[in-house]
């Protein structure tokens, strides 16, 4: 008799975004004429940069000709892309990486979800709260947690509260943790850590032989000088950190699919005899066994992000979204809201007025302003009383949404 | 201290194809003028069909325009593709599927490797021997096996020998098994099962509440009437089977990446209280958490495989490879080899002459004929004494390889 992985049964039945969809659909049915503006899901809306489109078309044509056709590529990605990643995203920041430390994949969601496979089931993980749900759910599925409690928190996970009091910066854990998920610029709060703040985490991990799983999917949105784009800008991080990057938010690849993960050769995990094993070799084994590489035309498109025109076009796109972020942030502040993020990230994290519950605020915002966002409670217990808006809408919709929040709420 | 998943340490250090590469590279260094023909790795060589190229270029252009840009698609794939899959690959064979029973992915290797996650660690798995290594390795990594023995077999796995005596058809297991991996047309033997033979497996699974993980990646190569293309052509299979399909070998997508998995709503796994859980819902939960869908241009290309021109072009490609298969099979038979496969599959499985070890045959074939193939021992203990050649080369190389085997070996 085939038995189920009972860890899956620990997951709550409904997901955040399906509950949002359910409420929006009901509202639309009851109010068919409502002009709804969506600033909820973190999906981009600007088209692919022309340099990417051209490179992908050229690559598709190559696939159609006998002499330039490509079959299976290397599971870890083509060197033509990896070299450009190192040269453009890391070397200018003083970070040197070897070709075999970069693993190209079809999504940072996949990589952040799959990477935990390399770790023993007995590891204790720490996540910030609020948090991107994939870190938690993938570990629940693997059996690294106990059951969920009434607050929506899983036993054995160490939650690091990010609150108004600590400026949305997770405190160091007070009990032992082995795997630490950090995401900066943060989803959902939009906040960043300075190099000094990040160094505390690297030092903690080195002292405790923990591994930091650093999600930098939003690094392209950093506007301020001095904010680290990569954890590897911090001394010692190569010994204890893995970094996840994506072309999704950087270059509009949410529907095109390309990302990459940096696994330095020095990062180690230990077996029960205390012997060290390289995460880099383990991830290579995992990827060669369970993955077959990213589509060649997609990798060709990703490489074009680093061409002169590509870089210019991507910069324009980021500026467009960050102007939206400014409009939301300043508009909400003027309207009397307390807001976080939106300076170095495409997310604005607002405190609901009068301690309103975040789902109540969701309903009110939809009803009164016809604007859809994401209730903070969906990201964890400490997200209650907060609400996420994204800068990924069109300029016109962003301006109209802010105007409506200002005048109708 | 971060602990390693110790199950990874059970895997042998070197992989089949890297050992082949090592030997080929050494031979090339020692014999720089040798004109090596590769009929080893199962990778296609013909370019993408023109209908696919056109559809992908069009889709890339859509991604470059504001009004037709697509961000995140559904994790389970676009309906425009799923509908075509059902209409073309299943309905003509009398198999009805619902839209939500088809999950589009970026590779059958990924899906066959990832699907085991849904099952409890205590399940016993059965695999044929020889076998595609991914089924075994992914279960080893998950902890569903014991250590490996000197024959390369893992404790707790039930190996079903496919031998000359049983016509390369796996016998039903004599002890309890819960998860059964079947691959037909088979990699590496190239053999198929009839509907009656497949029915015995479906009946076994229904009686024992086991689940059959059916890999049909090579179904497009079936030439003979009466050979089932899908396990769902067998009565009762919807209750006990999951099927993996791919565009890789069907339409030359090894470097383009698109596949799909069929999970009927009726297939169940059980918890410790005996309660049934739908694999379809569990896989949906897995995919929405750990996967973000296939690139839109790739899905558009896959849909074009089902256009009138696409079907014609794919058929021509399959015919091309199957003519290679015929040339290899008949050529080897004339040269006195005992061969399996090559009739309904792109693989030819030959018995090495005089009980020669399969690595010895590999070395002799490379040295005397300058032809590279795959030693059967790489696919399992029962692959020893056999050798795999593939029909994916060019016509010219295929003819030259057969001629060399005939005259030089």
């Amino acid at each position: 008799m085939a038995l189920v992985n009972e860890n899956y049964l620990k997951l709550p039945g409904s997901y955040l975004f399906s509950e949002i969809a359910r409420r929006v659909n009901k509202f639309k049915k009851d109010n068919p004429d409502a002009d709804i503006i969506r600033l909820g899901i973190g999906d981009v809306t600007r088209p692919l940069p022309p340099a990417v489109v051209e490179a992908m078309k050229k690559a598709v044509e190559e696939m159609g000709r006998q002499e330039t056709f490509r079959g299976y590529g290397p599971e870890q990605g083509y060197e033509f892309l990896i070299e450009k990643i190192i040269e453009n995203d890391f070397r200018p920041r003083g970070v040197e990486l070897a070709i075999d430390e970069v693993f190209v994949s079809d999504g940072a969601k996949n990589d952040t979800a799959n990477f935990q496979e390399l770790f023993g089931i007995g590891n204790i993980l720490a996540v910030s709260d609020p948090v991107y749900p994939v870190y938690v759910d993938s570990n629940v599925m693997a059996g690294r947690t106990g059951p969920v409690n009434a607050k929506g928190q899983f036993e054995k996970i160490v939650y690091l509260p990010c609150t108004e009091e600590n400026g949305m910066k997770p405190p160091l854990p007070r009990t032992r943790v082995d795997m630490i998920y950090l995401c900066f610029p943060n989803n959902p709060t939009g906040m960043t850590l300075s190099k000094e703040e990040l160094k505390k985490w690297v030092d903690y991990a080195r002292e405790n032989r923990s591994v930091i799983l650093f999600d930098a999917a939003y690094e392209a949105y950093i506007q301020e000088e001095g904010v680290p784009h990569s954890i590897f800008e911090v001394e010692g991080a190569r010994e204890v950190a893995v970094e996840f990057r994506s072309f999704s938010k950087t270059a509009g690849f949410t529907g095109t699919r390309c990302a990459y993960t940096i696994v330095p050769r020095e990062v180690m995990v230990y077996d029960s005899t205390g012997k060290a094993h390289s995460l880099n070799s383990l991830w290579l084994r995992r990827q060669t066994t369970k993955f077959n590489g990213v589509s060649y035309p997609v990798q060709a498109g990703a490489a074009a992000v680093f061409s002169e025109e590509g870089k210019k076009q991507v910069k324009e796109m980021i500026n467009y979204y960050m102007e939206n972020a400014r409009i939301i942030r300043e508009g909400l502040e003027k309207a009397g809201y307390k807001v976080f993020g939106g300076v170095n990230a495409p997310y604005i994290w607002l405190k609901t007025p009068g301690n309103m519950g975040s789902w109540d605020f969701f309903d009110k915002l939809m009803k009164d302003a016809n604007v859809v966002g994401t209730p903070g409670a969906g990201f964890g217990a400490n997200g209650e009383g907060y609400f996420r808006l994204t800068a990924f809408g069109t300029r016109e919709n962003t301006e109209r949404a802010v105007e409506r929040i200002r005048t109708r709420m």
Side-chain angles (χ1 to χ4, degrees), chain A:
Chain A
M1 185 168 82
L3 298 174
V4 66
N5 173 354
E6 298 208 4
N7 297 308
Y8 269 66
L9 311 181
K10 294 174 190 162
L11 292 167
S14 77
Y15 330 142
L16 174 60
F17 291 107
S18 61
E19 175 59 18
I20 291 174
R22 195 189 64 75
R23 293 193 190 208
V24 173
N25 287 336
K26 184 174 181 311
F27 182 79
K28 276 166 78 173
K29 211 177 143 195
D30 299 345
N31 304 274
D33 298 330
D35 173 26
I36 293 173
I37 299 175
R38 291 166 176 278
L39 299 179
I41 293 177
D43 194 3
V44 297
T45 54
R46 308 291 296 165
L48 284 182
V52 171
V53 170
E54 281 318 301
M56 287 185 74
K57 280 169 64 180
K58 185 167 162 286
V60 168
E61 277 172 7
E62 287 173 36
M63 295 296 264
R65 285 194 304 269
Q66 180 70 61
E67 60 280 16
T68 49
F69 174 75
R70 293 181 187 231
Y72 291 121
E75 285 94 342
Q76 54 274 54
Y78 281 108
E79 288 201 9
F80 70 75
L81 174 56
I82 294 175
E83 280 167 1
K84 287 208 187 311
I85 288 169
I86 294 172
E87 188 184 308
N88 289 280
D89 281 353
F90 293 92
R91 191 161 300 144
R93 306 199 160 270
V95 177
E96 279 302 323
L97 296 172
I99 291 277
D100 65 3
E101 293 179 322
V102 182
F103 297 79
V104 177
S105 81
D106 67 329
K109 178 185 177 185
N110 312 32
D111 284 357
T112 53
N114 290 329
F115 207 87
Q116 49 76 28
E117 287 183 24
L118 308 184
F119 294 83
I121 289 300
N123 287 280
I124 302 290
L125 60 132
V127 296
S128 64
D129 177 6
V131 65
Y132 176 52
V134 166
Y135 313 146
V136 171
D137 289 359
S138 57
N139 277 286
V140 172
M141 289 166 164
R144 221 165 269 111
T145 75
V148 70
N149 68 18
K151 282 169 71 185
Q153 297 190 324
F154 289 87
E155 259 179 38
K156 290 198 207 167
I157 293 183
V158 174
Y159 290 89
L160 310 167
C162 296
T163 61
E164 200 179 337
E165 289 69 41
N166 62 28
M168 303 291 162
K169 294 172 183 191
L172 287 174
R174 273 175 288 187
T175 54
R176 176 202 120 205
V177 304
D178 311 304
M179 298 159 66
I180 301 159
Y181 287 87
L182 295 179
C183 173
F184 291 100
N186 189 257
N187 175 14
T189 70
M191 300 296 275
T192 54
L193 292 189
S194 69
K195 207 182 265 193
E196 292 66 38
E197 286 163 337
L198 213 45
K199 180 141 196 330
K200 284 183 200 160
W201 285 98
V202 170
D203 291 344
Y204 174 93
R206 291 171 80 182
E207 274 159 37
N208 294 279
R209 293 203 277 182
S210 318
V211 172
I212 297 172
L213 301 153
F214 191 76
D215 186 347
Y218 300 96
E219 64 77 29
Y221 291 87
I222 294 172
Q223 305 290 305
E224 294 180 319
E225 292 294 317
V227 176
H229 287 236
S230 166
I231 195 168
F232 301 117
E233 293 177 49
V234 176
E235 196 200 324
R238 280 184 60 92
E239 294 168 32
V240 290
V242 168
E243 182 166 301
F244 304 98
R245 292 274 190 113
S246 174
F247 292 91
S248 284
K249 313 298 162 87
T250 309
F253 269 54
T254 53
T256 302
R257 315 301 314 138
C258 197
Y260 62 91
T261 292
I262 308 296
V263 191
R265 292 184 194 139
E266 291 94 318
V267 194
M268 295 291 161
V269 283
Y270 301 87
D271 67 25
S272 52
T273 72
K275 192 179 159 205
H277 299 268
S278 150
L279 271 182
N280 183 289
S281 311
L282 291 161
W283 186 239
L284 178 66
R285 187 61 155 113
R286 194 271 170 203
Q287 292 298 78
T288 49
T289 302
K290 295 187 164 192
F291 183 61
N292 244 335
V294 173
S295 183
Y296 167 64
V298 172
Q299 291 192 65
V305 167
F306 300 110
S307 66
E308 281 315 306
E309 313 83 65
K311 280 194 262 196
K312 226 181 94 201
Q313 292 158 3
V314 161
K315 182 82 186 136
E316 277 165 23
M317 193 190 294
I318 300 281
N319 287 347
Y320 179 94
Y321 291 134
M322 287 312 290
E323 176 63 10
N324 286 352
R326 189 194 60 77
I327 290 165
I328 298 173
R329 185 171 43 83
E330 294 184 359
L332 291 178
E333 276 175 349
K334 264 189 215 147
Y337 288 88
K338 172 105 190 171
V339 300
F340 297 87
V343 175
N344 294 308
Y347 294 125
I348 290 90
W349 187 241
L350 66 95
K351 200 167 149 80
T352 59
N355 285 322
M356 194 185 294
S358 59
W359 279 106
D360 292 339
F361 187 79
F362 174 90
D363 289 334
K364 185 171 159 54
L365 189 67
M366 184 160 61
K367 189 163 152 276
D368 294 351
N370 297 169
V371 172
V372 173
T374 310
F379 297 99
N382 278 289
E384 181 54 280
Y386 290 88
F387 200 81
R388 191 188 78 174
L389 291 173
T390 87
F392 291 127
T394 61
R395 178 66 39 79
E396 192 198 348
N397 278 345
T398 303
E399 283 170 346
R400 287 165 66 222
V402 171
E403 178 61 17
R404 289 189 197 167
I405 294 173
R406 226 173 44 80
T407 56
R408 301 196 201 165
M409 293 288 287

